[in-house]
Amino acid sequence: MVWNDMRAPMVPLRGLIFLCLLHLCVQGIQGVNTAVLVKMIQYFHDNVQPKTQSQTDAQYALAIRVPLDQCTKEESDIQTVFSRYDAQKVKDKLDKGEKCLLNEGEECTPSKNVIATRPDLKTKEHAEHILLYPLCKSPMDELLKKDKIVKDNCVVFFSYYSPCVKTCIQGQNNISKGLSNWINKRKEGMNAFVFQEIWQKDKKKDLQEEFPKINAVVPLYRCKRTSNVMACRKCVENNIVDGFCLPEKQ
């Protein structure tokens, strides 16, 4: 009888443990709130987007580490963690073709939570690749070193153009290992790769096949402006690409 009495509480305890583990799993796979992402990417468009003489909107990549609320709660305000002053400092560097990094002695921004770059015109290295390589010593690695409690933060990697198929996804300079390096350090955290426009030379490529390769490593989103209104969606579910993330049919 004593043995039975000792066993009695074990059933509800197991149930409680299961529910706790289930909750943790749900928390771990929860995606970025796209309504919040709209405000963030619109802020980048208004305050960071570099301009050039030949391009109204030039290609650039930016990664930002923010408190989790900035990726989940609609009432959050990106300016509280990435001020207009900081955004202007980043834009000034990008407009000059300079990099915004964290290991320059004088940090790019006082908040020390942003890295950004345009493509290197001399070496032809793409902006995404510059931020993610060399592995373990990249600008992204420097950013993640400041991420003391992974699950309390969110990291958003933004590229104005989608990663190009020929170089970023299939070529020798592809970004897959760089993305894996990032995610392996933040398995318990919230992460997102976001692009805005389809790279011009990829509008006839089979992105239905290529985009899932990125999404398999890090959740892929697109934020697109239509009639000056920003909208964001997750690109891949069950290995199927949402038409919102694909080129418009001609």
Side-chain angles (χ1 to χ4, degrees), residues 17-211:
I17 291 173
F18 173 77
L19 289 174
C20 289
L21 289 174
L22 179 61
H23 174 71
L24 289 174
C25 288
V26 171
Q27 290 292 97
I29 62 175
Q30 182 184 19
V32 171
N33 183 339
T34 52
V36 180
L37 203 57
V38 164
K39 296 196 298 181
M40 183 184 295
I41 304 307
Q42 182 66 54
Y43 184 77
F44 294 166
H45 180 85
D46 293 339
N47 299 283
V48 179
Q49 179 69 51
K51 315 287 184 182
T52 67
Q53 291 182 346
S54 60
Q55 294 175 294
T56 302
D57 294 319
Q59 164 62 353
Y60 80 105
L62 176 153
I64 185 168
R65 177 182 51 80
V66 296
L68 189 63
D69 287 356
Q70 292 289 333
C71 289
T72 58
K73 294 186 177 179
E74 291 189 37
E75 63 272 21
S76 63
D77 183 359
I78 187 66
Q79 291 189 64
T80 61
V81 293
F82 185 39
S83 68
R84 292 281 181 90
Y85 173 80
D86 282 5
Q88 187 62 52
K89 290 199 71 172
V90 177
K91 179 175 170 55
D92 288 344
K93 279 187 171 288
L94 294 177
D95 282 344
K96 296 174 185 176
E98 299 175 357
K99 299 179 181 69
C100 169
L101 303 178
L102 300 179
N103 55 357
E104 298 178 326
E106 179 185 353
E107 308 291 9
C108 178
T109 66
S111 55
K112 301 180 182 180
N113 64 344
V114 176
I115 53 175
T117 186
R118 283 171 53 197
D120 190 316
L121 298 179
K122 293 182 179 179
T123 65
K124 306 301 182 183
E125 186 177 10
H126 289 210
E128 307 98 308
H129 197 274
I130 291 172
L131 294 187
L132 295 169
Y133 289 84
L135 296 179
C136 300
K137 295 182 180 180
S138 69
M140 179 64 98
D141 287 305
E142 291 296 323
L143 180 68
L144 298 183
K145 283 180 182 178
K146 302 180 183 297
D147 201 2
K148 295 180 180 179
I149 304 178
V150 170
K151 63 182 180 180
D152 288 347
N153 294 316
C154 173
V155 172
V156 175
F157 189 105
F158 173 75
S159 173
Y160 180 72
Y161 282 116
S162 59
C164 66
V165 171
K166 183 178 179 180
T167 301
C168 294
I169 301 178
Q170 295 180 351
Q172 291 183 343
N173 292 317
N174 75 72
I175 59 175
S176 59
K177 290 183 179 179
L179 294 177
S180 295
N181 179 58
W182 157 24
I183 298 305
N184 285 339
K185 294 180 179 181
R186 286 187 45 82
K187 290 179 180 178
E188 298 179 359
M190 184 174 288
N191 310 283
F193 189 116
V194 186
F195 71 91
Q196 186 166 328
E197 300 297 328
I198 302 290
W199 174 236
Q200 300 158 351
K201 296 182 180 179
D202 284 350
K203 290 186 176 181
K204 295 183 179 180
K205 297 285 179 65
D206 187 5
L207 300 180
Q208 185 73 253
E209 179 180 341
E210 300 300 333
F211 280 169

